[in-house]
């Protein structure tokens, strides 16, 4: 274990990260065993499983899990593993299992809280110690589950921080996204856009607060939109797609002024003062609904908070003003499954959902115009890191003494402080359980 601790500590020096953090399979295995088990990881949204028996299968760390609506209406998160011989109990990503799960191999069945309901030919176990076996307990629940305003998170290991300590004030970004609904509720709409990227998951997370790339990497896509738009006659009504794509071509000064806020435990967001989402046109009726629900001042406070990307360490990103969520699921050191989800603001005009869906389609979809620019950069970086020309990745931009000393700090919007913040948390959550094992 001491060897592993030394290996992890050697992967960072001030403002630099060793390439092995992105490419080495042994480091990836340690991330799954330690970091992703010690942190609170996003599982899903309660609206994905509205009815009793509805389930959704996903992963936490490298573990197959499912969340299910139990008969008492609570959301349970269980390991997707039959206690008999290990078969994954559900194979579809989502569905309804009725009152119980039934394993397809030998038909053991389980209540939706995981407990064992029935075993065929039960008498075969009569004179055995079956009752005291772990199999008799049924499907194992994931030990730590927390629902926060319908967002479900889970932590596998016991020694990680509490939910409140882990997220702290960063929950204000989730609150803002939810409060944008006059009813104070969100609903997932449809299935996510889901596609694999041949790169390390951390490249995707870092990109969420990388404000020095849009005007460069997206010049071919958003820049083309800009060129076409500038050739239109004056007075032409701006189409929604143009309104969404143009801000990607904003200047360095715009992004500098946006600001970046970092919080403890690797969370942070771009768009403290304004963002690429600030100048969307008003949607008729929405403001009135918000004012009726919250009062004039509170409605203005909610709607004037236009944060850009909020990263929830380790692998989640939300965009409050446009109600999208992206989850970066690690598959291997060089493979990540990316899911881009959209939400409806309950009781808000449909036009908002149309804008959200369009944003997801033009920016994040496999058929998008913008997301491919990023994908190209990640995959080039993943292969470039194999080069023996250099071993270190540089994240020194606008480094300041005292970063991470306070629970919350605000910087120039082009700093790489949030990437450094993630890597501080990365080491902390990697070592947390190693140190414990090392001393036990
Ligand atoms: S493996 Fe599930 S019932 Fe046998
Ligand atoms: Fe990008």
């Amino acid at each position: 274990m001491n060897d592993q601790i030394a290996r992890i500590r050697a992967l960072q020096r001030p403002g630099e990260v060793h390439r092995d953090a992105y490419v080495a399979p042994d480091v990836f295995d340690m991330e799954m065993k330690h970091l992703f088990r010690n942190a609170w990881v996003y599982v899903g949204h309660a609206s994905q499983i509205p009815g009793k028996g509805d389930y959704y299968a996903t992963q936490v760390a490298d573990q197959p899990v499912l969340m299910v609506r139990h008969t008492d209406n609570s959301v349970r998160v269980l390991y997707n593993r039959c206690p008999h011989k290990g078969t994954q109990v559900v194979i579809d990503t989502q569905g309804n299992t009725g009152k119980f799960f039934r394993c397809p191999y030998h038909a053991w069945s389980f209540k939706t809280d995981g407990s064992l309901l029935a075993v065929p030919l039960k008498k075969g176990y009569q004179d055995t110690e079956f009752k005291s076996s772990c199999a008799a307990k049924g499907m194992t629940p994931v030990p730590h589950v927390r629902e926060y305003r319908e967002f479900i998170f889970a932590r596998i290991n016991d020694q990680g921080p509490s939910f409140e300590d882990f997220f702290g004030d960063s929950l204000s970004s989730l609150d803002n996204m939810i409060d944008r609904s006059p009813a104070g509720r969100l609903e997932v709409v449809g299935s996510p856009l889901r596609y694999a990227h041949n790169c390390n998951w951390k490249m995707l997370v870092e990109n969420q607060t990388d404000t020095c790339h849009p005007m460069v990497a997206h010049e071919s896509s958003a820049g083309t939109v800009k060129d076409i738009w500038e050739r239109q006659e004056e007075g032409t009504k701006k189409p929604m797609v143009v309104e969404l794509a143009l801000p990607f071509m904003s200047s360095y000064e715009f992004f500098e002024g946006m600001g970046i806020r970092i919080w403890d435990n690797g969370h942070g967001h771009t768009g403290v003062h304004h963002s690429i989402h600030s100048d969307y046109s008003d949607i008729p009726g929405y403001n009135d609904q918000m004012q009726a629900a919250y009062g004039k001042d509170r409605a203005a406070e909610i709607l004037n908070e236009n944060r850009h990307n909020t990263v929830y360490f380790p692998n989640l990103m939300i965009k409050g003003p446009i109600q999208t969520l992206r989850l970066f699921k690690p598959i291997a050191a060089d493979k990540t499954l990316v899911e881009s989800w959209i939400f409806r603001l309950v009781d808000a005009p449909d036009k908002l959902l149309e804008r959200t869906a369009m944003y997801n389609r033009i920016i994040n979809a496999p058929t998008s115009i913008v997301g491919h620019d990023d994908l190209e950069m990640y995959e080039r970086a993943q292969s470039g890191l194999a080069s023996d020309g250099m071993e270190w990745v540089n994240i020194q931009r606008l480094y300041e003494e005292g970063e991470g000393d306070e629970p919350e700090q605000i910087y120039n919007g082009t700093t790489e402080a949030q990437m450094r913040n993630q890597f501080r948390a990365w080491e902390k959550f990697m070592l947390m359980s190693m140190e414990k094992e090392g001393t036990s």
Side-chain angles (χ1 to χ4, degrees), residues 24-257:
D26 69 310
V27 175
F28 181 83
D29 291 346
M30 285 187 258
E31 288 179 335
M32 294 304 105
K33 183 155 182 254
H34 297 284
L35 189 165
F36 274 85
R37 280 168 158 78
N38 294 330
W40 286 91
V41 175
Y42 180 63
V43 180
H45 191 264
S47 66
Q48 290 168 246
I49 48 169
K52 290 174 185 172
D54 286 347
Y55 67 83
Y56 169 71
T58 178
Q59 66 179 69
V60 172
D62 54 357
Q63 299 294 298
V65 304
L66 55 87
M67 63 173 194
V68 58
R69 179 81 59 182
H70 186 44
T71 39
D72 65 0
N73 255 323
S74 62
V75 174
R76 306 298 175 106
V77 182
L78 310 171
Y79 287 94
N80 185 8
R81 185 234 194 251
C82 178
H84 181 207
K85 300 188 87 172
T87 306
Q88 286 197 8
V89 177
V90 302
I91 203 71
D92 294 334
T93 306
Q94 59 193 61
N96 183 287
T97 194
K99 287 203 168 87
F100 59 89
F101 290 109
R102 178 179 181 272
C103 179
Y105 203 173
H106 311 94
W108 288 24
S109 56
F110 314 95
K111 292 184 190 163
T112 43
D113 61 0
S115 57
L116 187 62
L117 180 63
V119 172
L121 292 173
K122 207 171 176 186
K123 59 181 181 298
Y125 292 100
Q126 242 163 30
D127 300 320
T128 71
E129 299 292 312
F130 180 71
K131 268 198 179 136
S132 56
S133 73
C134 51
K137 293 196 175 80
M139 294 169 72
T140 310
V142 173
H144 307 280
V145 175
R146 178 67 193 270
E147 182 170 341
Y148 181 80
R149 301 188 70 179
E150 300 196 286
F151 285 77
I152 318 288
F153 292 84
R155 195 191 71 214
I156 289 179
N157 276 353
D158 288 336
Q159 64 261 51
S162 71
F163 181 86
E164 285 73 16
D165 287 348
F166 182 71
F167 286 111
D169 288 342
S170 72
L171 291 172
S172 55
S173 285
L174 260 186
D175 286 337
N176 182 258
M177 181 156 83
I178 301 164
D179 290 343
R180 283 168 174 269
S181 149
R185 281 193 53 232
L186 300 176
E187 271 173 11
V188 159
V189 177
S191 296
L193 300 167
R194 184 185 273 127
Y195 69 121
H197 287 47
N198 291 322
C199 68
N200 188 269
W201 64 275
K202 295 188 289 302
M203 289 186 184
L204 281 139
V205 183
E206 284 172 37
N207 177 263
Q208 307 309 309
T209 59
D210 182 330
T211 51
C212 287
H213 87 281
M215 69 299 284
V216 182
H218 300 306
E219 192 181 4
S220 64
S221 50
T224 304
V225 174
K226 187 170 180 233
D227 284 350
I228 294 170
W229 175 243
E230 283 172 356
R231 276 186 262 129
Q232 303 307 305
E233 277 174 31
E234 209 170 305
T236 307
K237 190 174 178 301
K238 197 187 268 185
M240 189 185 271
V241 68
V242 174
E243 185 173 276
L244 297 175
L246 274 188
F248 281 76
M249 291 306 291
S250 301
S251 64
Y252 285 122
E253 292 71 32
F254 176 89
F255 287 104
E256 283 185 313

Side-chain angles (χ1 to χ4, degrees), residues 9 30 50 82 93 132 169-170 265 268 272 287 312-313 327 334 348 377 407:
R9 288 212 169 113
M30 285 187 258
C82 178
T93 306
S132 56
D169 288 342
S170 72
N265 294 326
V272 179
N287 230 329
Y312 287 112
F313 183 80
L327 187 60
D334 59 356
M377 295 308 128

Side-chain angles (χ1 to χ4, degrees), residues 367-382:
T367 48
S368 77
I369 52 170
V370 172
H372 290 84
D373 303 329
D374 295 308
L375 176 62
E376 172 83 10
M377 295 308 128
Y378 307 142
E379 296 193 349
R380 282 199 203 190
Q382 194 72 29

